[in-house]
Amino acid sequence: MQMIRDAAELPLLETVEAVIEALGGRMAVAELTGRLPQQVTNWRIAGTFAPTTFLVMTTALAATGKRAAPRLWRMDEPAALAG
C-alpha cells in the first residue's frame, strides 16, 4: 500500500497530450509502446490510449515523477486514487 500512497503524491496528468509530451513526444511514445507513430497520433485524436499500453506507459511516467489518470486508458479509477 505504501507504493500506492507514494504514487498518489506524484503530479497527475489528465490529458493524452500531456502524457505524450511527458514521455518525450510522439516518436518516443511509439518506440516505448512498440506502435507506429501514426497510432500515437490516433490516440491524440481519440483522446484515449490503447488499454494494453497502460502498464508500460504508467511505469515510464512514474520514472519521470508523474502519473496519469487511468481513464485515459479507458480503465476504471478507484475513487480513493482519483485526483
Side-chain angles (χ1 to χ4, degrees), residues 23 29 31-34 52-62 73:
L23 292 175
V29 171
E31 185 175 326
L32 174 69
T33 60
T52 56
T53 64
F54 179 76
L55 187 57
V56 69
M57 292 179 75
T58 56
T59 300
L61 280 172
W73 287 267

Side-chain angles (χ1 to χ4, degrees), residues 7-25 29 47 49 54 57-58 60-73 77 81-83:
E9 296 173 9
L10 297 175
L12 179 67
L13 304 177
E14 299 205 35
T15 67
V16 166
E17 181 67 29
V19 171
I20 292 170
E21 292 309 311
L23 292 175
V29 171
F49 296 107
F54 179 76
M57 292 179 75
T58 56
L61 280 172
T64 70
K66 297 178 178 76
R67 65 186 174 111
R71 65 180 162 67
L72 298 177
W73 287 267
E77 189 170 346
L81 299 180

